[in-house]
Amino acid sequence: EAQVTQNPRYLITVTGKKLTVTCSQNMNHEYMSWYRQDPGLGLRQIYYSMNVEVTDKGDVPEGYKVSRKEKRNFPLILESPSPNQTSLYFCASTGSFGSPLHFGNGTRLTVT
Amino acid sequence: AQKITQTQPGMFVQEKEAVTLDCTYDTSDQSYGLFWYKQPSSGEMIFLIYQGSYDEQNATEGRYSLNFQKARKSANLVISASQLGDSAMYFCLNNAGNMLTFGGGTRLMVKP
């Protein structure tokens, strides 16, 4: 089954403790991206990647890192999480310009 | 920069009636795609419909149709014969160049 797999679904952590949210797709998509969703602000793009070893900042990249060492994986790294990074995070991928984004099921992160 | 505007933060519709959700976009790219996604209370993002900037016909997918007015830069979603299960958040998305930009969303509530 074609899918984007995000883990974990829920994560509670403390300020400053490094964490990684994993994202993997099995559709051989070149484009992958990360979004955060906050009430009243909709979905905002954090980082995106057009291909392996190619990553670019989206609208809200501060406090986040990503890597794209393999085509299928695009982890999101928070080196020193802060409470303002409490949010719902989505990973997504697509194979071409006119194709829909395939979303993961989301990761609800709480930073205390 | 791309911008997507959904002017209706919340809407009510009577079951079995049609409803139109507004979306206007602002892009300088000639080639772009417009998508609509549904997000039920469970949180996942569900692809509904796609319209390419060069498509001459309005897109339709079952009960969903897209009223595409290129000169006015609008891509409104029309849901016919609303059902209770249509109650959800709806997001308009523009894909232009390397950027994917979401609108702020519209919460639709279907009344029995």
Side-chain angles (χ1 to χ4, degrees):
Chain A
E1 180 191 351
Q3 60 185 0
V4 177
T5 303
Q6 257 182 266
N7 281 298
R9 288 293 307 275
Y10 302 91
L11 180 57
I12 301 174
T13 190
V14 295
T15 299
K17 186 176 181 182
K18 181 180 178 180
L19 65 91
T20 299
V21 184
T22 62
C23 175
S24 180
Q25 50 93 5
N26 62 2
M27 295 164 281
N28 203 35
H29 286 167
E30 292 182 344
Y31 185 100
M32 296 184 75
S33 58
W34 277 100
Y35 300 87
R36 60 177 289 172
Q37 184 178 11
D38 302 290
L41 297 175
L43 283 94
R44 295 176 292 169
Q45 191 175 51
I46 302 170
Y47 270 95
Y48 65 95
S49 169
M50 299 294 290
N51 213 328
V52 175
E53 302 292 1
V54 179
T55 63
D56 283 294
K57 296 177 181 178
D59 296 320
V60 288
E62 293 78 21
Y64 304 95
K65 284 176 58 177
V66 292
S67 69
R68 189 88 182 273
K69 295 189 174 68
E70 307 165 278
K71 200 171 188 178
R72 61 183 293 125
N73 295 324
F74 191 44
L76 179 70
I77 303 154
L78 285 72
E79 295 270 2
S80 183
S82 61
N84 65 12
Q85 293 178 298
T86 292
S87 187
L88 177 60
Y89 291 85
F90 286 100
C91 178
S93 72
T94 185
S96 64
F97 175 78
S99 299
L101 277 175
H102 294 257
F103 282 87
N105 284 331
T107 296
R108 191 167 292 281
L109 172 65
T110 302
V111 184
T112 61
Chain B
Q2 325 277 0
K3 188 175 180 182
I4 298 281
T5 304
Q6 294 181 248
T7 58
Q8 307 147 314
M11 288 188 72
F12 284 97
V13 64
Q14 199 68 41
E15 191 179 11
K16 298 180 185 174
E17 291 185 353
V19 62
T20 298
L21 307 184
D22 294 341
C23 172
T24 58
Y25 58 93
D26 185 9
T27 179
S28 55
D29 289 82
Q30 295 300 309
S31 182
Y32 52 88
L34 295 151
F35 302 83
W36 277 91
Y37 282 82
K38 172 184 178 183
Q39 187 182 39
S41 56
S42 51
E44 72 267 30
M45 298 290 285
I46 301 168
F47 166 70
L48 296 178
I49 196 166
Y50 164 77
Q51 180 86 40
S53 58
Y54 295 117
D55 294 341
E56 294 185 355
Q57 305 268 357
N58 284 344
T60 60
E61 291 284 351
R63 293 188 299 112
Y64 305 108
S65 60
L66 205 151
N67 184 1
F68 182 47
Q69 297 185 50
K70 195 170 181 177
R72 299 178 65 179
K73 293 192 173 181
S74 75
N76 299 338
L77 177 71
V78 181
I79 305 174
S80 62
S82 298
Q83 301 172 357
L84 296 178
D86 294 334
S87 294
M89 282 289 289
Y90 289 81
F91 291 98
C92 181
L93 167 67
N94 182 26
N95 182 357
N98 295 333
M99 294 299 293
L100 287 142
T101 308
F102 282 86
T106 295
R107 182 171 296 282
L108 177 67
M109 290 152 283
V110 181
K111 298 187 289 185

